[in-house]
Amino acid sequence: MPDLSVLPTLANIATVFIALCALVLTYAQVRSIHKHNRISVRPYLTTWEHIGGEDDSYVVDLINGGTGPAIIKSCTLFLDDKPMEGTELEPMLNLYDELFSGYEFAPYSTYWNSGFVLSANQTRIFGKIQFNGNKKPTANEVTEAFKRANVLIKYESAYAESFTYSSKEQRNI
């Protein structure tokens, strides 16, 4: 007659093994769901430049083409790789003055302070300049002038993942 006293031990080992397998699979599934959730709310900032229109202006739009909000942490403007000084709107207005000192223009700018949230698929005007008077730069001259500038935006996702947008890097893609 076989020894049946080992059956409870084998049953206990099988129960522990099945429980461990269930625990590992649950952990893998939770990690997969967490990764999916992070990706599903990831912001992606980019810019779109356009010239012309009814008012013959040059506009730079900031676009969140991602699937989640972009929480702005900082926004720094550079001209020839040197940061523009000033607070709030001053850096952008100083940039316009430096790039287009020989022209008459009407500037428009937005102050991108820390904590501003750009929703998914939202577009906002980052900057706009409208040239007035008889002397106006060509579209190519405006585009070339703005190549000297760089905007660096540090932002986060809803999960506090950090990202950086650089207009200089975007132009080099």
Side-chain angles (χ1 to χ4, degrees), residues 79-151:
L79 180 61
D80 300 325
D81 296 323
K82 295 177 191 158
M84 298 300 295
E85 300 297 325
T87 59
E88 298 180 359
L89 296 176
E90 290 175 335
M92 184 67 96
L93 299 176
N94 292 340
L95 177 75
Y96 291 146
D97 287 339
E98 288 284 329
L99 292 176
F100 305 108
S101 61
Y103 299 98
E104 185 181 322
F105 59 87
Y108 173 87
S109 184
T110 306
Y111 171 54
W112 297 90
N113 59 330
S114 178
F116 179 80
V117 177
L118 192 64
S119 301
N121 298 312
Q122 186 178 18
T123 299
R124 287 285 181 103
I125 293 176
F126 184 81
K128 177 180 176 178
I129 188 166
Q130 180 181 356
F131 295 97
N132 304 315
N134 296 330
K135 183 180 175 189
K136 294 181 182 179
T138 65
N140 190 47
E141 289 171 325
V142 174
T143 302
E144 288 302 312
F146 273 114
K147 284 182 181 178
R148 295 177 50 205
N150 182 28
V151 58

Side-chain angles (χ1 to χ4, degrees), residues 55-66:
D55 59 359
D56 198 30
S57 61
Y58 182 88
V59 181
V60 178
D61 290 326
L62 182 64
I63 303 164
N64 180 359

Side-chain angles (χ1 to χ4, degrees), residues 11-73:
N12 288 343
I13 292 172
T15 301
V16 169
F17 178 74
I18 290 169
L20 284 174
C21 288
L23 184 65
V24 168
L25 288 173
T26 301
Y27 177 75
Q29 186 175 19
V30 166
R31 282 187 46 93
S32 176
I33 289 169
H34 186 67
K35 183 177 179 181
H36 174 267
N37 288 347
R38 284 181 178 266
I39 291 170
S40 69
V41 295
R42 181 166 284 167
Y44 180 78
L45 293 185
T46 189
T47 55
W48 182 260
E49 302 170 8
H50 43 103
I51 300 173
E54 294 176 14
D55 59 359
D56 198 30
S57 61
Y58 182 88
V59 181
V60 178
D61 290 326
L62 182 64
I63 303 164
N64 180 359
T67 54
I71 303 163
I72 307 296
K73 293 301 179 182

